[in-house]
Amino acid sequence: MSKIFDTPLYPYARSADQDAPVPVRHPVVIVGAGPVGLVLAIDLAMHDVPVVVLDDNDKVSFGSRAICFAKRQLEILDRLGVGADLVAKGVTWNRGKVFAGEDQIFDFNLLPEAGHKHPAFINIQQYTVEAELVARLRTLEAAGKPVHIRGNSRVIAVDPQPDHVGVTVDTPEEPYQIAADWLVACDGARSPLRAMMGLDFTGRVFEDNFLIADVRMQADFPTERWFWFDPPFNPGQSALLHKQPDDIWRIDLQLGWDIDKEVEKAPERVIPRLKAMLGPEVAFELEWVSIYTFQCMRMERFRHGRMLFAGDSAHQVSPFGARGANSGIQDADNLAWKLRLVLEGAAPEALIDSYDSERVQAAEENILNSTRATDFITPKSAASRVFRDAVLDLARDHAFARPLVNSGRLSQPTWYDGSGLNGPDDPTLPALTRPGAPAVDAPLPGGWLLDRLGGDFALLAIGRPAPEVVGTRPVEILASPEVQSRYLNTHLSALYLIRPDQHIAARWTDAAPATIAIALDRAKGGLG
Amino acid sequence: MTLTSDPNLADPDATYAALIAAHDGLTEAESAALNARLVLVLMNHIGDATVLRAALEVAHGSGAGASGGDI
């Protein structure tokens, strides 16, 4: 049986563009059909923005790769129509354990609070997510939405112009040209488009190697994230165990810097390492093995004229904390509505600059967190190792040391504090839902708050009617206990202006429609 | 006064990173000397002899086990 990543999902087919006398112009062209490019394409297509996706192959990505998808990303995927399927297929987890040497030093729960539709995390293979997204895109296409994915169509040249980008596409037949009002590079950490443009990508490379092994086994480990510092089966290094669907387990073993990658990747080296970890009695099969090094890097700017960079092409982090694919999906979520409004003429082009500022802020936060985790997991100096070991030592018996143990700070959405799109705040309302924050889910009679918000500007009126403001959709709800604590504090009512990406733009305990209209204009990149 | 055994840092990651960064580029001897000065500064700040004695016990590994639980 051929595996999913051997199956062509969108094989090359000749496009009418190839026979056009002049290059056909498209509003949005996305390069790369990974999770980020597909999420962006689906969001645009659902809102009737014509979009072409170019991919240099015709399959999902090889190997499980990104496996942890966080709550905020599940909310985004849910809005796009694939959340429920993915949660059903994935392995839900909220808890983790940290070990040092032979001892468990503590456990944690990432979602201690009830009243959210989605769990803290699911584990699911990146290729399954991509296959679901491709299927969703195909469904939209079949329903007449303006979205097309072109397989085996590799961009070999770009020609940036003030109001568009010329794109040369190589195919199994001859190359051809198209033009894009906006070209979005979702083409991964080694981004060929970034290289073609000669753009910078700077940061830190970490001198370490990690072995990733996906193994198929029947095991009764609980569905939790387990992380080891200096375990007996990998002395002086770290290890990570995660459950995936279909009896597949992800094992990450730190190997150190001075190794021969080809030798270490060989099954005769990998299998004894895994036996030492799992015990001699556990039968397993190797599904996928890879050795990776990593880096924390980003481009200085994510917008270059009419070219935009999203996901790993724009920023790369170490894997500890699951901030790679998760942050890329948030990039797409942030960008889709801005491109749509600008293309519709409903917002000035300057709105696109806020994609750059907000997502650079997010990348900085992700790089900071993943760098700190990496420095803790693999100390870079003797002093750093002494402190790390002291923290682990104390953490066994002393609660105070546990917040210092850093095995990865797991992906959280970025709060766009200080964004130019943010409008008025009322600081007597909860800090959790201040302007810039992602709207926090809450149960409502018969459903969930985020489902009611949808993907357009919403005017959330809690405990009161919503005033009529052109360009907003009223969402009127009553104050349940969750809504009270997450949105009201001690107030009886409030108004929240919420962006299409479900981040809060402004909020008031009371406001005149004209005041809300000014905040709406500001959230669309106007001067407010 | 008793020794605080609950987490007490507002931003543990940032505080820890600042501590490690203070050692950047130092030799082992310089690091040890920095740590000694730091302990003396903090000791003076704490002042309370009972608290310091309890802290020494924790550092020696003979402190009473703090309550477990999630963080």
Side-chain angles (χ1 to χ4, degrees), chain A residues 58-129:
Chain A
D58 57 5
K59 302 177 187 68
V60 294
S61 66
F62 188 80
S64 60
R65 302 184 68 189
I67 57 161
C68 299
F69 291 83
K71 175 172 171 289
R72 179 63 201 138
Q73 285 62 35
L74 296 175
E75 292 164 355
I76 294 167
L77 293 165
D78 206 19
R79 180 170 66 73
L80 301 182
V82 294
D85 272 3
L86 290 175
V87 172
K89 286 185 179 170
V91 171
T92 291
W93 66 277
N94 294 309
R95 302 186 71 90
K97 287 194 175 114
V98 177
F99 302 83
E102 301 197 6
D103 307 321
Q104 180 183 325
I105 52 175
F106 64 91
D107 63 357
F108 59 86
N109 186 347
L110 294 167
L111 194 67
E113 151 185 290
H116 295 263
K117 181 176 179 182
H118 292 291
F121 273 93
I122 65 165
N123 286 353
I124 191 164
Q125 294 89 341
Q126 180 173 330
Y127 56 74
T128 307
V129 175

Side-chain angles (χ1 to χ4, degrees), chain A residues 337-358:
Chain A
W337 66 275
K338 295 175 179 175
L339 279 176
R340 165 165 58 99
L341 291 187
V342 169
L343 283 163
E344 286 171 352
E349 200 180 307
L351 180 60
I352 303 297
D353 290 327
S354 75
Y355 163 72
D356 180 80
S357 56
E358 290 183 341

